[in-house]
Amino acid sequence: MNLIQRIKAAILPSQGSDAGNKYNQSLFSYFNGIFFNIPNNPRAYVRNGYQGNPDVFAIINMIAKKAASVPFYVYEIDNKKSFNRTKNNPINLLKKGLTEVEGTDLNKLIARPNEMQSQQEYIESLVSFLEITGNAYSYKFMPEVGRNKGVPTKLYPLPSQFTQIIGSGTFEPISAYKLQIGNQEIEFKVNEVNHIKFFNPDYNVSGNQLYGMSPLMAAWETVSSSNEGTRAKAKAFINGGAAGLLFSGDKDAMLDGEQISKINQQIDTKLTGADNYKRIVATNGIVDYKQIGMSPADLEIIKSIGADRDTLCRVFGVDPILMATDSASYNNKEMAYKGLVTNTVIPILNMIRGMFNEVALYYSLRDGVEYYIDYDVQAFPEMQKDMEKIVTQMKESWWITPNEKRDAMNYDRLDQEDMDRILVPTNLTYLDELGMADKAL
């Protein structure tokens, strides 16, 4: 199968029959042109979770901005065998069979997916939708005429809380997507939308498994508890009411209404407000005090909010140290940030990379060039120590030519002949001068 045939097979609908597909029969046979209802309530996840809870916002914002900080590049696969052997290496520069390309239409699309968003803004929106609702959708605008007919020239993130999947029965479980905001709705063909999602174990004939599961679903009780705690704390600080009762300490000299009114005025003037915080005043009267209110600290509201924050961090794959209000050692935070990158951000970037490479197939078919899109993990400061280890390892790897080492360090190759020759440890003598050039290593 040549390049064009491989690409067509990847992006064109299969012509084979799914009549015997028992998996589809068991789950989708009742749905034909019917909307699969969006499970749970992603709109509540947006309003009460991301927009209504400061900890949820901070956690998702941390993940999304970290993911969006890494640039994506366009490459041409010039050696399929070498590429397949090294493509899973997390360090881009150690992947073989790739040559970076610049100035192509695909480069321009990845750099600015649409007229309103840069690459960074586009990725941040996709990651945010994914973390909030468990789903991220990207609409591929493809002109109907001209040189770019049927080729994506713009990419738009769709609001996942308003996006539904349309089923088409056993033979085509997903036939289209529908975006509905208020009374306005529009339908997209299935090949116009890329959909990435988190795993959802809720399989049923209603098609819930076609949607991703939001992390907020597992943590919704915690989100509610945190929101209630925040509201309770605000009420205690702003509208907490009377903290206590002031009354006469002499049973034989009870205060009348006029005296009580004057005392309350004096309290408002001399005791309440930020300027009077913890102020001490004198009185010649015999008074007593009875506490009837408790502070947020006394009610352990603040402690409860902190516990909820830690739980939310774990649900989203973020070390609570990164959200802690107290000081933490530099080494602990350094390891926590690296864990955020390797365990949470990189898996999401891999999903987006797969989506970008599905788009790249259209350009490969048009241009007759096999493109590949990938991000640069070295852009993460947290991964620099790993690169230091690689440099040390390459220094010990005598079987790698100097130019290959320059490739791995992102330096240009040198045209000098000796830079493509192998040096062996024996006083760094050239391999061919030892009579070993014809032996394979």
Side-chain angles (χ1 to χ4, degrees), residues 53 55-56 59 219 222-223 308-316:
N53 187 288
D55 291 327
V56 171
I59 293 168
T222 301
V223 173
D308 290 336
R309 181 189 304 119
D310 290 351
T311 300
L312 290 170
C313 283
R314 289 192 291 271
V315 168
F316 282 97

Side-chain angles (χ1 to χ4, degrees), residues 22-200:
K22 296 180 180 179
Y23 177 87
N24 287 351
Q25 290 175 8
S26 63
L27 292 172
F28 307 115
S29 59
Y30 298 104
F31 290 86
N32 189 359
I34 297 176
F35 300 115
F36 289 115
N37 291 324
I38 302 175
N40 307 309
N41 189 355
R43 299 182 193 184
Y45 295 156
V46 173
R47 291 192 304 269
N48 301 331
Y50 185 74
Q51 294 180 323
N53 187 288
D55 291 327
V56 171
F57 173 84
I59 293 168
I60 293 177
N61 197 45
M62 178 186 294
I63 296 171
K65 288 191 178 299
K66 177 64 74 173
S69 69
V70 178
F72 277 79
Y73 298 99
V74 180
Y75 301 89
E76 178 184 344
I77 301 176
D78 49 29
N79 188 320
K80 190 75 171 180
K81 183 177 180 181
S82 296
F83 170 69
N84 286 335
R85 189 176 66 249
T86 60
K87 67 180 180 181
N88 291 325
N89 195 311
I91 306 298
N92 252 26
L93 296 174
L94 297 183
K95 294 178 180 178
K96 301 299 181 182
L98 294 175
T99 300
E100 186 179 348
V101 295
E102 299 178 344
T104 70
D105 290 342
L106 185 57
N107 285 95
K108 296 173 185 177
L109 176 65
I110 298 303
R112 193 163 189 84
N114 61 68
E115 67 274 15
M116 294 178 287
Q117 291 181 308
S118 64
Q119 180 188 120
Q120 186 170 349
E121 292 170 323
Y122 172 78
I123 292 175
E124 183 178 347
S125 63
L126 285 180
V127 176
S128 297
F129 278 128
L130 182 65
E131 291 287 353
I132 296 168
T133 68
N135 300 275
Y137 303 90
S138 179
Y139 163 56
K140 297 176 292 194
F141 169 72
M142 296 181 280
E144 297 181 355
V145 296
R147 177 174 178 266
N148 292 319
K149 178 181 178 180
V151 176
T153 57
K154 295 180 182 181
L155 304 174
Y156 297 91
L158 300 179
S160 53
Q161 70 271 33
F162 300 115
T163 304
Q164 284 185 281
I165 297 172
I166 302 177
S168 187
T170 300
F171 303 114
E172 193 178 18
I174 301 176
S175 61
Y177 295 87
K178 183 184 75 166
L179 177 63
Q180 182 173 359
I181 302 179
N183 294 325
Q184 299 184 23
E185 63 178 60
I186 188 168
E187 191 171 306
F188 301 90
K189 297 176 182 178
V190 68
N191 68 322
E192 291 180 321
V193 175
N194 287 115
H195 178 197
I196 57 177
K197 61 183 184 295
F198 288 141
F199 170 69
N200 185 357

Side-chain angles (χ1 to χ4, degrees), residues 228-230 232-233 236 295-306:
E228 289 299 324
T230 301
K233 185 182 71 172
S295 70
D298 292 333
L299 293 171
E300 297 194 342
I301 294 175
I302 296 175
K303 185 184 294 186
S304 174
I305 292 174

Side-chain angles (χ1 to χ4, degrees), residues 4 44 60 163 168 187 212-213 219 228 257 259 360 393 404 410 431:
I4 302 301
I60 293 177
T163 304
S168 187
E187 191 171 306
M213 173 180 156
E228 289 299 324
Q259 290 174 318
Q393 183 179 4
E404 288 175 324
N410 206 21
L431 180 65

Side-chain angles (χ1 to χ4, degrees), residues 181-389:
I181 302 179
N183 294 325
Q184 299 184 23
E185 63 178 60
I186 188 168
E187 191 171 306
F188 301 90
K189 297 176 182 178
V190 68
N191 68 322
E192 291 180 321
V193 175
N194 287 115
H195 178 197
I196 57 177
K197 61 183 184 295
F198 288 141
F199 170 69
N200 185 357
D202 187 19
Y203 274 65
N204 55 42
V205 294
S206 297
N208 281 8
Q209 67 278 5
L210 296 176
Y211 297 93
M213 173 180 156
S214 168
L216 290 173
M217 180 181 179
W220 198 240
E221 291 296 328
T222 301
V223 173
S224 300
S225 170
S226 176
N227 287 345
E228 289 299 324
T230 301
R231 279 191 285 268
K233 185 182 71 172
K235 288 180 180 179
F237 281 128
I238 299 173
N239 297 312
L245 294 175
L246 193 65
F247 56 92
S248 173
D250 185 355
K251 295 180 180 181
D252 297 326
M254 301 300 291
L255 300 174
D256 59 30
E258 183 178 354
Q259 290 174 318
I260 292 175
S261 178
K262 289 182 178 180
I263 291 175
N264 284 335
Q265 291 177 6
Q266 290 294 315
I267 290 174
D268 289 338
T269 303
K270 296 183 178 181
L271 295 181
T272 61
D275 293 338
N276 294 319
Y277 181 63
K278 289 192 174 181
R279 180 182 179 185
I280 298 174
V281 295
T283 178
N284 60 1
I286 302 175
V287 296
D288 205 347
Y289 174 79
K290 177 69 174 180
Q291 180 179 338
I292 61 173
M294 297 180 68
S295 70
D298 292 333
L299 293 171
E300 297 194 342
I301 294 175
I302 296 175
K303 185 184 294 186
S304 174
I305 292 174
D308 290 336
R309 181 189 304 119
D310 290 351
T311 300
L312 290 170
C313 283
R314 289 192 291 271
V315 168
F316 282 97
V318 174
D319 193 315
I321 288 178
L322 299 179
M323 294 288 293
T325 55
D326 56 348
S327 61
S329 71
Y330 174 80
N331 288 337
N332 288 341
K333 282 204 168 184
E334 185 179 32
M335 292 302 297
Y337 273 115
K338 186 173 181 180
L340 171 68
V341 169
T342 57
N343 299 329
T344 302
V345 175
I346 285 181
I348 294 174
L349 288 176
N350 289 344
M351 297 168 71
I352 295 175
R353 178 180 63 189
M355 185 194 70
F356 273 153
N357 279 302
E358 192 275 338
V359 173
L361 291 173
Y362 292 87
Y363 285 85
S364 297
L365 181 61
R366 190 197 70 177
D367 299 343
V369 175
E370 193 163 7
Y371 292 115
Y372 184 75
I373 299 174
D374 207 352
Y375 59 91
D376 185 6
V377 75
Q378 288 179 273
F380 290 117
E382 296 82 3
M383 305 302 288
Q384 291 304 311
K385 284 196 173 182
D386 288 347
M387 280 305 301
E388 292 175 7
K389 294 178 183 177

